[in-house]
Amino acid sequence: MGNPSSRLHCLIKRCPNFYRKPNFLLGLAKDEKPIFNTAFCDQMVSPFSQTKQFSVGANDTFIDPVPVVATTRSPLDSSPTIDAGSSIRKPISLWPGMYHSPVTNALWEARSSIFERFSDAPVDPTPQNDLITKTPSMSRTSVLYKFSSDYVLREQYRNPWNEIRMGKLLEDLDALAGTISFKHCSSNDGTTRPLILVTASVDKMLLKKPIRVDTDLKIEGAVTWVGRSSMEIQLEVMQSSPEASSTSESLALTANFTFVARDSKTGKSAPINQISPETETEKLLWEEAEERNKMRKVKRGERKKEIQGEEVNRLNELLAESRIFCDMPALADRDSILIKDTCLQNSLICQPQQRNIHGRIFGGFLMRRAFELAYATAYAFAGSAPCFVEVDHVDFLKPVDVGNFLRLKSCVLYTELENLSKPLINVEVVAHVMRPELRSSEVSNNFYFTFTVHQDSLKNGARVRNVVPGTEEEARRVIERMDAENSCS
């Protein structure tokens, strides 16, 4: 291997620009010096070698990776916090692909104990008939990001503006919700047929305060509501700060995921373990989730009705401005723009490394790709880097399989300009599964995000433009989304 010092010298000689990069490009504070040692340089010289975790103290001692404690030692045991930076990357055959963030990597490892129990089950197990009742605490799981001390982990979640890369956090939240659903649905003996658990929707993911990438972060969640074959998981992102004097002030983000269960053999809906809230808070969360479930059923029924009466007037009002754009463009309002002129899109072939345990494309991966396209759309529209506000809603309508040709189309659906100091930009992303050989295209997902802009970007007369629909179909989408937002507020 040669002398480590000489290897470092050769590396610096070959890559002088890298060694001389300013500290802020390396994600370091102004007074923080970059750490170069032979172990780190070995990783740079041999990127395909096994990743080693290390810490640098007074004597430059190195520490082996710390195993992640499985979150499913027993379905009746609560779990210790998972360390996001300490996952073992050993090749377990039960894992799907090797495309993981540090957190999804740790969560796959945690889930593997459930499937290892299934590997000892009968060849043709029977469906689970003897359901059990669990408390929310039995599924509660948390993940800790040690951003303040783990430079490698921090770099994987840092965006170009030294803020949190929100798309990766959404990916992790979906993975955590999936692990929680597996914990709740698992049987005590592992002899029943495993269920297919998939994300059905995300109802309102609200950012309550900015999330820093240099401060430790914790995400935690549990099952809060259960129906016959569906369940709701509430997740919270917590980040303490010196000025935060209570737990509520540390709450940075909340999200509600809905998962549905299918029998792995028949594909039909399957009953799942029930839930018994214990504390007053858990009972309140159950009631809120029950109300949301009723609202979802009402909305499904309303979608089947045609727009009529008063809503016809709303359609015509929305389309009035677009007719000026189409018929007399020279007279159109310069502070407005058509929806079609805000669109962006991209395409990808879904790879095996992006699949989940069931062989389908991981929902968190789809959320991350949709978020990053929505962010780019808001950026191109506003003319400055947008600020994330919330995920309004996500629908998982059809599964996405490995090898599918996926096309993501994004547009600014409408803007809210009542508060000029904090204008809101509502972005829609629609995912289509295309099959060129069959000449077919189906919608697999609908994503809705809200962004705003920094006040500094609105100086010197700059402003966010009004967006108007150009077709009746676009106007219907705007009305449906506005009504959904008003019903949630």
Side-chain angles (χ1 to χ4, degrees):
M1 292 293 293
N3 187 296
S5 300
S6 63
R7 293 203 307 276
L8 175 60
H9 176 75
C10 293
L11 175 64
I12 296 172
K13 187 175 182 181
R14 291 199 305 269
C15 309
N17 292 332
F18 176 83
Y19 187 74
R20 295 189 179 95
K21 277 187 181 293
N23 285 354
F24 74 88
L25 291 180
L26 296 174
L28 304 175
K30 291 181 179 180
D31 57 348
E32 186 178 358
K33 298 302 180 182
I35 299 172
F36 287 94
N37 55 49
T38 56
F40 186 52
C41 292
D42 283 346
Q43 292 178 14
M44 296 165 60
V45 174
S46 303
F48 299 105
S49 62
Q50 184 179 5
T51 301
K52 301 267 185 201
Q53 298 208 4
F54 61 91
S55 64
V56 181
N59 299 318
D60 271 8
T61 58
F62 298 95
I63 303 174
D64 290 331
V66 179
V68 172
V69 179
T71 64
T72 52
R73 297 170 298 170
S74 164
L76 302 180
D77 290 343
S78 59
S79 304
T81 300
I82 297 172
D83 185 346
S86 65
S87 175
I88 298 175
R89 288 155 177 80
K90 58 183 178 181
I92 297 179
S93 60
L94 295 168
W95 289 9
M98 290 307 293
Y99 179 85
H100 303 304
S101 73
V103 171
T104 54
N105 202 20
L107 290 170
W108 290 135
E109 186 172 316
R111 288 191 208 180
S112 67
S113 63
I114 298 176
F115 286 89
E116 285 166 358
R117 289 189 289 115
F118 288 145
S119 64
D120 298 327
V123 177
D124 188 20
T126 58
Q128 183 175 354
N129 295 318
D130 297 330
L131 299 174
I132 58 178
T133 299
K134 295 187 175 184
T135 63
S137 61
M138 292 178 182
S139 64
R140 187 166 298 281
T141 309
S142 58
V143 178
L144 178 64
Y145 300 71
K146 297 180 180 177
F147 286 144
S148 62
S149 57
D150 192 332
Y151 169 77
V152 176
L153 182 68
R154 185 167 72 242
E155 277 298 286
Q156 294 183 66
Y157 285 82
R158 184 174 66 88
N159 73 9
W161 298 275
N162 280 320
E163 298 169 349
I164 193 78
R165 187 177 170 186
M166 189 59 65
K168 285 185 70 65
L169 188 59
L170 298 186
E171 187 174 24
D172 293 350
L173 290 171
D174 185 76
L176 177 58
T179 294
I180 291 170
S181 69
F182 273 93
K183 288 184 67 176
H184 178 80
C185 294
S186 62
S187 60
N188 290 334
D189 54 14
T191 58
T192 55
R193 184 186 303 162
L195 299 174
I196 296 176
L197 298 168
V198 295
T199 314
S201 65
V202 180
D203 299 310
K204 188 68 72 176
M205 186 182 295
L206 181 62
L207 184 69
K208 294 182 175 293
K209 68 173 188 177
I211 299 176
R212 299 172 59 90
V213 77
D214 58 356
T215 305
D216 289 353
L217 186 75
K218 182 179 182 180
I219 57 177
E220 184 175 67
V223 174
T224 55
W225 175 89
V226 173
R228 179 188 174 275
S229 59
S230 61
M231 74 197 88
E232 185 170 300
I233 295 106
Q234 185 179 81
L235 303 177
E236 294 182 336
V237 177
M238 312 291 292
Q239 190 171 61
S240 299
S241 58
E243 59 273 11
S245 58
S246 65
T247 303
S248 60
E249 292 179 352
S250 299
L251 184 61
L253 182 146
T254 59
N256 293 301
F257 283 74
T258 300
F259 273 67
V260 295
R262 297 286 183 266
D263 188 280
S264 60
K265 186 173 183 180
T266 66
K268 297 180 180 179
S269 62
I272 58 177
N273 296 328
Q274 293 302 296
I275 192 169
S276 176
E278 293 180 304
T279 67
E280 290 301 318
T281 300
E282 290 172 353
K283 292 175 182 177
L284 178 61
L285 291 174
W286 189 93
E287 292 172 359
E288 292 175 350
E290 175 72 6
E291 188 62 29
R292 279 191 293 270
N293 184 59
K294 291 178 180 178
M295 288 296 296
R296 280 193 291 267
K297 291 180 179 178
V298 171
K299 289 177 183 178
R300 282 196 294 266
E302 289 177 346
R303 286 194 192 110
K304 299 177 182 178
K305 299 178 182 178
E306 293 184 359
I307 295 179
Q308 54 186 353
E310 184 179 334
E311 294 190 348
V312 172
N313 296 331
R314 293 174 66 192
L315 270 177
N316 289 332
E317 289 176 4
L318 284 173
L319 292 171
E321 183 67 24
S322 68
R323 294 189 182 103
I324 303 299
F325 272 93
C326 297
D327 299 337
M328 296 171 282
L331 302 179
D333 184 356
R334 295 304 171 218
D335 287 330
S336 297
I337 186 173
L338 291 173
I339 287 177
K340 69 180 182 68
D341 294 328
T342 68
C343 294
L344 291 179
Q345 59 179 292
N346 58 32
S347 302
L348 67 145
I349 303 297
C350 298
Q351 303 296 332
Q353 294 80 11
Q354 297 149 3
R355 71 190 186 277
N356 62 18
I357 287 175
H358 307 299
R360 297 272 172 68
I361 297 303
F362 172 43
F365 170 79
L366 298 174
M367 287 182 64
R368 178 171 67 81
R369 291 299 298 258
F371 175 86
E372 292 180 351
L373 177 59
Y375 187 94
T377 302
Y379 197 171
F381 170 76
S384 62
C387 304
F388 170 71
V389 176
E390 63 186 26
V391 177
D392 301 316
H393 189 76
V394 178
D395 284 315
F396 290 82
L397 304 174
K398 292 182 180 296
V400 181
D401 293 318
V402 172
N404 277 169
F405 182 2
L406 192 68
R407 188 174 189 180
L408 298 169
K409 298 181 179 180
S410 178
C411 70
V412 177
L413 197 58
Y414 64 96
T415 54
E416 299 176 62
L417 307 177
E418 290 79 8
N419 183 358
L420 294 180
S421 63
K422 190 180 179 181
L424 298 180
I425 304 168
N426 295 272
V427 180
E428 175 191 64
V429 180
V430 182
H432 298 258
V433 173
M434 301 195 300
R435 295 180 174 85
E437 64 275 9
L438 301 178
R439 300 178 64 189
S440 69
S441 177
E442 293 182 298
V443 175
S444 62
N445 302 83
N446 291 317
F447 305 87
Y448 299 96
F449 305 94
T450 299
F451 299 89
T452 187
V453 294
H454 290 285
Q455 290 188 2
D456 293 345
S457 64
L458 298 175
K459 294 179 179 178
N460 302 322
R463 58 174 298 175
V464 171
R465 301 171 74 179
N466 181 45
V467 178
V468 295
T471 65
E472 184 173 317
E473 185 270 334
E474 289 177 344
R476 288 174 184 265
R477 281 159 46 202
V478 171
I479 289 175
E480 181 180 333
R481 194 65 237 145
M482 286 180 169
D483 289 347
E485 280 298 291
N486 291 333
S487 66
C488 294
S489 59

